[in-house]
Amino acid sequence: DAGVIQSPRHEVTEMGQEVTLRCKPISGHDYLFWYRQTMMRGLELLIYFNNNVPIDDSGMPEDRFSAKMPNASFSTLKIQPSEPRDSAVYFCASRRSSGEETQYFGPGTRLLVL
Amino acid sequence: KQEVTQIPAALSVPEGENLVLNCSFTDSAIYNLQWFRQDPGKGLTSLLLIQSSQREQTSGRLNASLDKSSGRSTLYIAASQPGDSATYLCAVEETSGSRLTFGEGTQLTVNP
């Protein structure tokens, strides 16, 4: 398996623009997580899905952030409009619901909002 | 609210030394505890997962222990090597399939 795939790997945009981050989880994994990592706040969970259904979005900072999982093999995290304080590394992770319960992380998307 | 703390924040040791990284958590009602490694500019790689009913897990030169009642875990690295240089993160999962709450990590440097 190729592991968790994220795109783009790097994104530079200007304040006010829409940003869309993409994630393909490992096949057979039915949990998908979106995390954000910054120097100030460390790693924080934004939202997670189980069987494509959002379970906990309490970590989503505000209405500018939205996430979807239209099918088992694809998820998006959208920021509209983006702000400089959204600059961070965004990670997607997936895991099985039973058996091996380790979360597998993607390589991350490094976002810079100017 | 669960809080995870890692001590020390940074550690520099000579090659070959055995070392211990510490992790503590405030709510002992956890499902499992996981140790990850993060290399600069990379994602996280899982090292060890300890279920709440277990006391320790071992993988090669790594040994992780869990004392749930006291809210503590340690990661022991034997015979450290320069390739072990990375940030080590501890995370707890409170219920099956729920969020991971991460510590801030210990940045380890092993000097040749």
Side-chain angles (χ1 to χ4, degrees):
Chain A
D1 200 314
V4 177
I5 299 172
Q6 291 187 248
S7 65
R9 294 292 310 277
H10 302 273
E11 177 83 23
V12 180
T13 190
E14 292 187 346
M15 183 174 63
Q17 295 298 306
E18 177 179 296
V19 175
T20 299
L21 312 181
R22 297 173 176 79
C23 175
K24 176 179 169 55
I26 294 173
S27 177
H29 284 192
D30 36 25
Y31 280 94
L32 183 140
F33 303 81
W34 283 101
Y35 292 91
R36 179 171 68 176
Q37 186 176 40
T38 61
M39 290 293 292
M40 291 296 295
R41 299 174 67 91
L43 260 169
E44 302 175 290
L45 179 77
L46 298 176
I47 184 171
Y48 77 93
F49 296 83
N50 179 220
N51 292 323
N52 313 336
V53 176
I55 303 300
D56 183 353
D57 65 355
S58 60
M60 296 286 263
E62 48 201 89
D63 292 345
R64 297 186 297 106
F65 285 67
S66 62
K68 294 182 180 180
M69 192 164 186
N71 58 62
S73 59
F74 184 66
S75 177
T76 59
L77 177 68
K78 186 175 292 187
I79 308 172
Q80 167 63 21
S82 59
E83 296 182 1
R85 59 190 168 126
D86 301 330
S87 298
V89 182
Y90 291 81
F91 289 104
C92 176
S94 68
R95 59 160 272 186
R96 296 181 188 279
S97 58
S98 61
E100 185 186 31
E101 296 174 311
T102 300
Q103 286 193 21
Y104 289 86
F105 281 72
T109 295
R110 191 171 297 271
L111 173 66
L112 177 61
V113 183
L114 302 174
Chain B
K1 178 186 173 186
Q2 179 75 266
E3 293 183 1
V4 180
T5 304
Q6 291 187 245
I7 295 173
L11 183 62
S12 181
V13 300
E15 182 177 3
E17 191 161 300
N18 301 325
L19 57 100
V20 175
L21 307 182
N22 296 292
C23 171
S24 61
F25 45 96
T26 54
D27 188 342
S28 62
I30 64 169
Y31 182 70
N32 66 44
L33 183 144
Q34 301 179 39
W35 283 93
F36 292 86
R37 168 186 172 139
Q38 186 175 26
D39 292 283
K42 305 287 187 181
L44 279 69
T45 300
S46 178
L47 298 173
L48 291 164
L49 183 153
I50 312 177
Q51 297 289 358
S52 61
S53 59
Q54 297 175 321
R55 294 299 298 255
E56 66 177 345
Q57 282 286 333
T58 298
S59 176
R61 294 183 294 108
L62 305 180
N63 176 277
S65 67
L66 173 64
D67 184 343
K68 201 174 79 157
S69 61
S70 68
R72 295 182 182 184
S73 176
T74 61
L75 178 66
Y76 175 82
I77 303 177
S80 58
Q81 303 170 358
D84 294 331
S85 299
T87 296
Y88 291 81
L89 293 145
C90 164
V92 298
E93 185 174 355
E94 294 187 31
T95 59
S96 178
S98 67
R99 64 174 63 217
L100 285 177
T101 301
F102 283 87
E104 296 190 348
T106 294
Q107 186 173 358
L108 173 65
T109 303
V110 181
N111 301 299

